[in-house]
Amino acid sequence: ELCFFAGSGFDSLMLNDFNIIKRWSKRQVKPIRRFFGSVAGYTVALVTRTLPSCLIWGKHHLICRITIPKASASANASRATSTYWMDPRRGDTAIKVRPNNCQSNKEHFPEAIGDDRQLLFEGNTGIVACGTTPYYGGGLKLFPFSRVQPHGMHLRIGRINPFVGFLNIPGIFRGTYRHYKMKCLDFVGKDFEVELSKPYPFQHSGEADDDPLQKFRLRVADEELEFVDFLKPRVVLGYED
């Protein structure tokens, strides 16, 4: 399926909670249906369902394994196909991911990594999501590095406590939030395969998938797509002295 952004974790859990509230509201009178079917419904879902379930029961906790193609980490890989880690300690410097032969914890992922792929990340996280556009929706700039590569995407692995994220909403919205102790990891590449230790809600382009997923692959499409832009074209004016 084609989409602008997708992933699992806190965001997909909140979207799942929003859909539960929206389904309940459809049985109510029209003013209630309209209220809970709007952006206000997201806020209600966040405060009444998502945050409590995460803070009390840790429902957002995921154990995931993420792999990338070995070719993207090889010495011969071009800038367009390589995978990079964005280092916040050095002013968001793009550092190329090197080849490795690391293996997984077989307790969570008994299946071996394929010969054509290598390990990028394995461990606990609260959100794992990719985007080819900086904006998640509603002005939220969740993927600020999505345009680093002309044909790449931004993978964000968020490991911060949901309450910490709630307190840093302004910075997260602007795309300026960074964590210097590796609680928020950002990568740029073209191909990421994600495996979870158990099935979990999945969302793409702001729509919840019908069934929880345990494994999915996020890859930039090879073919070019054309979109209709309803904004007025920008005109650059030049002046002569």
Side-chain angles (χ1 to χ4, degrees):
E1 296 183 22
L2 298 175
C3 59
F4 290 107
F5 56 84
S8 283
F10 186 83
D11 60 330
S12 61
L13 185 62
M14 183 174 69
L15 184 61
N16 201 50
D17 289 338
F18 168 66
N19 286 335
I20 291 173
I21 288 178
K22 191 165 66 172
R23 285 196 296 270
W24 168 84
S25 70
K26 288 181 179 179
R27 301 193 297 268
Q28 312 305 316
V29 295
K30 189 173 182 179
I32 293 179
R33 289 200 305 270
R34 295 181 64 179
F35 177 81
F36 285 105
S38 66
V39 177
Y42 279 100
T43 305
V44 173
L46 173 66
V47 174
T48 63
R49 293 183 62 91
T50 313
L51 271 179
S53 66
C54 292
L55 294 174
I56 298 173
W57 298 291
K59 199 173 179 180
H60 66 296
H61 285 161
L62 295 171
I63 300 177
C64 73
R65 177 172 76 176
I66 303 173
T67 61
I68 60 173
K70 277 190 175 180
S72 70
S74 69
N76 298 324
S78 66
R79 289 185 178 181
T81 60
S82 298
T83 301
Y84 293 89
W85 169 52
M86 307 303 296
D87 188 352
R89 305 166 302 175
R90 297 177 173 84
D92 296 333
T93 300
I95 298 177
K96 186 177 178 180
V97 175
R98 298 178 180 179
N100 69 70
N101 294 310
C102 297
Q103 293 301 316
S104 299
N105 183 337
K106 292 187 177 181
E107 179 183 351
H108 300 298
F109 304 101
E111 187 177 339
I113 298 173
D115 294 335
D116 59 335
R117 303 190 71 84
Q118 72 172 50
L119 187 65
L120 178 71
F121 172 86
E122 182 178 325
N124 294 307
T125 184
I127 178 175
V128 53
C130 273
T132 56
T133 178
Y135 295 97
Y136 183 84
L140 171 58
K141 199 173 184 180
L142 190 64
F143 307 107
F145 303 119
S146 61
R147 303 284 170 82
V148 169
Q149 287 180 334
H151 302 287
M153 60 181 167
H154 177 185
L155 169 71
R156 171 155 282 186
I157 303 170
R159 309 174 69 200
I160 60 175
N161 184 285
F163 187 68
V164 174
F166 182 74
L167 295 177
N168 287 277
I169 282 179
I172 294 174
F173 248 85
R174 292 192 301 266
T176 58
Y177 178 77
R178 305 289 186 271
H179 198 288
Y180 301 100
K181 294 184 178 179
M182 306 301 110
K183 290 292 185 179
C184 185
L185 299 171
D186 296 299
F187 297 92
V188 175
K190 292 192 67 174
D191 187 336
F192 302 101
E193 188 170 88
V194 181
E195 298 172 75
L196 307 176
S197 59
K198 61 180 180 181
Y200 202 85
F202 176 80
Q203 65 83 18
H204 60 84
S205 298
E207 295 294 330
D209 202 77
D210 292 336
D211 300 308
L213 298 181
Q214 191 167 356
K215 184 176 182 179
F216 53 91
R217 185 178 178 185
L218 303 170
R219 185 173 60 87
V220 176
D222 295 326
E223 63 274 14
E224 293 186 358
L225 304 175
E226 293 185 359
F227 296 92
V228 177
D229 189 349
F230 292 99
L231 296 177
K232 293 181 179 180
R234 296 180 179 180
V235 179
V236 179
L237 300 178
Y239 296 92
E240 293 183 3
D241 294 333

